[in-house]
């Protein structure tokens, strides 16, 4: 299974998803609860006009998006949260994420217009329309969005599932060269909200409460054996009882060679790494012994060839006895 598929399924879990935004929005405080999240259709369709005036459908797919609903001051407030999983740096991420968010807002405006149109249609012909129904102004009617309507905030976070640092642009301005401050002042910037383990301190990663903490720690140090062993040692309790889906992510991203049964729901990563290192040491020992044996046989063959040559045996016959090419035997004997 591809890493993109595995990371998407992992982030889609409500507990992991809530942990991401509790970290990014609330600095690790447990504000968002999994039960307050509702799955959203990640497909967005924009209809920009083409050069010939035709409407061109453009389909965009978010990785994961959920609607957050919470009671605040006696009323329900909503926020749209989206996550983009990246295995590599995307150099147009500000535009990509900005498009997703704007498509969300455009969709909300469209839905508001549809809702108002439906309501107006249902009220048409009723006496109560002039008494209790809303009569939109000309401006409201034309926009389809009424003065008291409000948009739901849309926030997108990008997670880089890699031990490499993010060296791409983190804002729309980073993708431009605008030297004129007057022009820049008239522009709106868009920032990429990034989670990249290679550029985070251990203290920052420790703010995560789910298994994403161990996933990011492992990825961060996956190419540094000593630091990885330190992390495993300092966080033994959690790494010895790591949920398999988190280990699936680690394995797919780092290709670390961790062995575990697919039927296991919990994996002892520390033990798996120790066994893997022991196997590597034993394999190295066996290879060393084989090399030593080969060198001993090679040395013995050269000594035998020299003695046989001193006894007057022809180099062709010597080569057959010691099992090496004639050219190599002649080189040993200094004949070429």
């Amino acid at each position: 299974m591809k890493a993109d598929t595995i990371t998407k399924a992992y982030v889609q879990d409500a507990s992991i998803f809530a942990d991401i935004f509790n970290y990014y929005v609330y600095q690790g405080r447990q504000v968002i609860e999994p039960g307050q999240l509702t799955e959203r259709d990640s497909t967005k369709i924009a209809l920009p006009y083409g050069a010939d005036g035709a409407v061109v459908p453009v389909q965009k797919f978010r990785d994961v998006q959920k609607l957050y609903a919470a009671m605040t001051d006696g009323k329900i407030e909503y926020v749209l949260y989206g996550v983009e999983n990246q295995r590599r740096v995307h150099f147009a991420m500000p535009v990509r994420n900005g498009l997703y968010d704007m498509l969300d807002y455009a969709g909300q405006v469209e839905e508001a217009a549809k809702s108002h149109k439906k309501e107006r249609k249902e009220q048409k012909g009723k006496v109560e329309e002039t008494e209790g129904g809303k009569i939109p102004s000309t401006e409201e009617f034309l926009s389809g969005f009424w003065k008291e309507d409000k948009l739901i905030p849309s926030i997108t976070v990008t997670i880089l599932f890699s031990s490499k640092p993010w060296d791409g642009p983190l804002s729309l301005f980073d993708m431009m060269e605008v030297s004129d401050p007057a022009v820049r002042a008239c522009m709106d910037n868009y920032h990429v909200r990034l989670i990249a383990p290679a550029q985070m301190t251990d203290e920052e990663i420790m703010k995560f409460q789910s298994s994403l903490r161990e996933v990011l720690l492992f990825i961060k140090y996956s190419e540094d054996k000593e630091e990885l062993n330190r992390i495993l040692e300092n966080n033994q309790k959690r790494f010895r009882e790591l949920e398999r889906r988190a280990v699936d992510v680690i394995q797919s991203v780092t290709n670390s060679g961790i062995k575990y049964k697919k039927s296991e729901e919990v994996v002892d990563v520390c033990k798996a790494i120790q066994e893997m290192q022991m196997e590597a040491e034993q394999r190295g020992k066996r290879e060393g012994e084989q090399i030593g044996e080969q060198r001993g046989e090679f040395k013995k063959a050269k000594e035998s060839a020299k003695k046989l040559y001193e006894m007057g045996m022809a180099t062709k016959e010597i080569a057959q006895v010691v099992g090496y090419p004639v050219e190599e035997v002649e080189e040993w004997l200094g004949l070429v």
Side-chain angles (χ1 to χ4, degrees), residues 232-233 235-236 239-240 268-275:
L232 294 175
E233 179 67 26
N235 300 274
Q236 277 194 52
F239 271 109
R240 287 191 180 280
D268 187 337
V269 175
C270 296
K271 181 180 178 182
I273 292 294
Q274 289 172 354
E275 291 176 348

Side-chain angles (χ1 to χ4, degrees), residues 27-137:
Q27 293 75 52
R29 290 187 291 116
Q30 300 303 287
V31 176
I32 302 172
E33 297 180 5
Q36 296 173 303
L37 297 168
T38 304
E39 198 72 27
R40 286 268 298 178
D41 182 4
S42 60
T43 304
K44 301 296 172 190
I45 300 177
L47 296 174
Y49 287 98
D52 57 354
V55 175
V56 182
V58 179
Q59 198 169 39
K60 297 293 180 182
F61 296 92
R62 278 185 183 272
D63 285 339
V64 186
Q65 186 182 50
K66 296 180 186 290
L67 176 66
Y68 169 65
M71 186 68 72
T72 304
D73 297 330
K75 64 178 181 179
I76 297 180
E77 290 192 357
Y78 298 96
V79 181
L80 282 169
Y81 289 123
V83 173
E84 289 299 305
N85 303 319
Q86 291 294 128
R87 285 282 287 111
R88 294 179 177 82
V89 174
H90 193 302
F91 290 98
M93 209 69 197
V95 172
R96 180 177 173 181
N97 285 358
L99 176 59
Y100 286 149
D101 287 342
M102 291 309 297
L103 285 175
D104 274 326
Y105 295 135
Q108 291 179 49
V109 171
E110 184 180 355
E111 288 302 315
K114 287 180 180 179
S115 177
H116 294 324
K117 185 176 181 180
K118 181 180 179 182
E119 184 180 8
R120 292 279 296 165
K121 187 175 181 180
E122 291 174 350
Q123 290 177 348
K124 189 175 183 181
K126 293 183 180 180
V127 177
E128 296 88 342
E129 180 181 359
T130 56
E131 297 178 357
K134 162 82 174 183
I135 301 178
S137 66

Side-chain angles (χ1 to χ4, degrees), residues 56-297:
V56 182
V58 179
Q59 198 169 39
K60 297 293 180 182
F61 296 92
R62 278 185 183 272
D63 285 339
V64 186
Q65 186 182 50
K66 296 180 186 290
L67 176 66
Y68 169 65
M71 186 68 72
T72 304
D73 297 330
K75 64 178 181 179
I76 297 180
E77 290 192 357
Y78 298 96
V79 181
L80 282 169
Y81 289 123
V83 173
E84 289 299 305
N85 303 319
Q86 291 294 128
R87 285 282 287 111
R88 294 179 177 82
V89 174
H90 193 302
F91 290 98
M93 209 69 197
V95 172
R96 180 177 173 181
N97 285 358
L99 176 59
Y100 286 149
D101 287 342
M102 291 309 297
L103 285 175
D104 274 326
Y105 295 135
Q108 291 179 49
V109 171
E110 184 180 355
E111 288 302 315
K114 287 180 180 179
S115 177
H116 294 324
K117 185 176 181 180
K118 181 180 179 182
E119 184 180 8
R120 292 279 296 165
K121 187 175 181 180
E122 291 174 350
Q123 290 177 348
K124 189 175 183 181
K126 293 183 180 180
V127 177
E128 296 88 342
E129 180 181 359
T130 56
E131 297 178 357
K134 162 82 174 183
I135 301 178
S137 66
T138 302
E139 292 80 8
E140 289 176 319
F141 182 79
L142 289 174
S143 66
F145 197 77
W146 293 356
K147 190 173 182 179
E148 63 268 23
D149 288 339
K150 302 297 179 185
L151 294 174
I152 297 172
S154 178
I155 300 174
T156 303
V157 166
T158 298
I159 302 181
L160 180 62
F161 285 97
S162 171
S163 61
K164 307 296 183 185
W166 181 280
D167 59 355
L170 286 172
S171 74
L172 198 57
F173 284 1
D174 290 343
M175 297 178 66
M176 303 176 180
E177 290 186 355
V178 182
S179 58
D180 189 336
V183 173
R184 197 178 184 93
C186 293
M187 297 171 58
D188 293 317
N189 202 1
Y190 182 91
H191 295 274
V192 173
R193 298 163 185 85
L194 179 69
I195 294 176
Q199 290 156 290
M200 299 169 70
T201 64
D202 291 357
E203 290 72 22
E204 288 175 324
I205 296 178
M206 292 299 286
K207 291 180 180 179
F208 290 96
Q209 300 301 309
S210 68
S211 60
L212 186 57
R213 176 197 298 182
E214 285 68 49
V215 170
L216 295 179
L217 281 172
F218 196 104
I219 292 174
K220 178 180 178 179
Y221 294 111
S222 58
E223 297 183 11
D224 189 326
K225 181 179 178 181
E226 291 185 4
E227 283 297 307
L228 181 59
N229 286 334
R230 176 184 67 81
I231 287 297
L232 294 175
E233 179 67 26
N234 293 342
N235 300 274
Q236 277 194 52
K237 180 173 175 56
R238 289 177 63 110
F239 271 109
R240 287 191 180 280
E241 300 176 347
L242 193 58
E243 57 182 343
R244 196 201 67 201
R245 61 179 181 174
V247 183
D248 288 342
V249 174
I250 289 173
Q251 177 61 22
S252 67
V253 172
T254 66
N255 295 316
S256 55
I258 299 175
K259 295 179 181 179
Y260 53 99
K261 296 178 180 178
K262 295 299 181 181
S263 59
E264 292 182 288
E265 292 300 322
V266 176
V267 178
D268 187 337
V269 175
C270 296
K271 181 180 178 182
I273 292 294
Q274 289 172 354
E275 291 176 348
M276 186 173 65
Q277 291 175 346
M278 287 179 62
E279 288 179 5
E281 290 175 0
Q282 291 173 355
R283 184 168 57 251
K285 184 178 180 181
R286 288 195 299 270
E287 291 175 354
E289 291 173 347
Q290 291 175 355
I291 292 173
E293 290 175 358
Q294 291 172 356
R295 287 177 177 174
E297 291 175 357

